[in-house]
Amino acid sequence: MPNEGEASNSSKKYVVYDLTCRQDTNTTPDANPATIERRYTDFLKLYEAFKKDQPQQIANIAFPGKKIIGNFTNDLISQRALAFENFLDYVISVPSLRDSEHFLSFLQDEELNKACRLLDERRNEVAVPMIENIFQLVNKIYLDKSKQVLLLLCRLVAACTTSPIPHPSAEKWVDLAFRRFDHVSDVELLVLYIPLLNTISYLYWQKGRDAQLINDRLEEMGRKGIKIKDTLTLSQAIHA
């Protein structure tokens, strides 16, 4: 649900909308809601992409127009927040919109690009919480073993394990990734499987954990003629 806020810098002022995604049940509120920030231009870019690619799907959607004067009145901000909430609720309800690259980019690209820059600067401790938040958000919208979720999970595992000292939450995410990738048949995702298993095996060795199950799985893949040594790292496989 969007909630309005304001941000400014030395040259301009603009409105930031907080988007919080949660999965409440009838008896229990979501203990880990995920929140991202988006501006009017982000919503407009998404709407225009849909208007170009799937015009019939959004023909009846009323999108708030641009305002040159009075952009920061409380009434206008509240109206836009409600319109954006209705827009996103509709997008999520239509599979072709929800599963589009445009919507996934809207959800994750801003934070993911920032996190990648931080990883390049070896600032994993700052990047990992950002990717964790995006993973939690995307996983509330898509299925556990969907391509969108598993690719983000691999990014999270890579971010947690690429520094000499693994991130404190590394084991949590590699264990989840190992479970989630079981019985995955998507060919595009399988290219990540061997690098993922090698990453998990190495982390278990670092942590003094028994990696026999992981190594058995690797040997099983090797017997099938799949190359299991001297392969791409998980980060390289993701980018490739």
Side-chain angles (χ1 to χ4, degrees), residues 33 85 115 171 192 218 224 227 231 238:
E85 182 176 357
E171 291 181 86
L192 300 173
L218 282 166
K224 295 178 179 179
K227 185 178 180 181
T231 62
I238 290 168

Side-chain angles (χ1 to χ4, degrees), residues 14-144:
Y14 55 86
V15 177
V16 172
Y17 296 87
D18 290 338
L19 277 68
T20 298
C21 185
R22 54 192 310 134
Q23 290 180 322
D24 297 332
T25 67
N26 292 332
T27 58
T28 308
D30 191 338
N32 297 294
T35 300
I36 56 174
E37 294 180 347
R38 293 294 182 266
R39 296 167 58 179
Y40 174 86
T41 51
D42 297 315
F43 289 98
L44 180 61
K45 180 181 177 181
L46 178 62
Y47 174 76
E48 290 181 338
F50 286 149
K51 190 175 180 180
K52 178 181 178 181
D53 291 352
Q54 302 186 52
Q56 293 181 339
Q57 294 285 16
I58 61 166
N60 296 321
I61 295 297
F63 191 86
K66 291 183 178 179
K67 295 281 187 178
I68 299 177
I69 300 175
N71 278 13
F72 304 106
T73 64
N74 290 334
D75 285 345
L76 179 63
I77 292 174
S78 297
Q79 290 171 10
R80 282 184 170 179
L82 179 59
F84 293 152
E85 182 176 357
N86 292 335
F87 174 49
L88 294 180
D89 285 345
Y90 177 74
V91 169
I92 291 174
S93 72
V94 180
S96 64
L97 299 177
R98 182 192 62 229
D99 297 338
S100 69
E101 288 296 322
H102 300 307
F103 187 50
L104 184 62
S105 294
F106 172 84
L107 293 174
Q108 70 176 21
D109 279 8
E110 182 175 332
E111 289 77 12
L112 202 54
N113 290 336
K114 289 179 182 177
C116 287
R117 289 194 294 269
L118 290 167
L119 291 173
D120 289 341
E121 298 169 2
R122 301 294 188 269
R123 299 174 64 190
N124 296 49
E125 74 286 351
V126 183
V128 167
M130 296 178 67
I131 304 176
E132 286 178 332
N133 183 63
I134 292 301
F135 171 74
Q136 298 286 8
L137 173 74
V138 170
N139 201 184
K140 293 177 191 296
I141 297 173
Y142 301 100
L143 297 175
D144 286 355

Side-chain angles (χ1 to χ4, degrees), residues 122 124 158-167 202-203 205-207:
R122 301 294 188 269
N124 296 49
C160 287
T161 57
T162 50
S163 57
I165 300 177
H167 190 274
Y202 183 67
L203 178 69
W205 173 80
Q206 285 180 299
K207 295 293 186 177

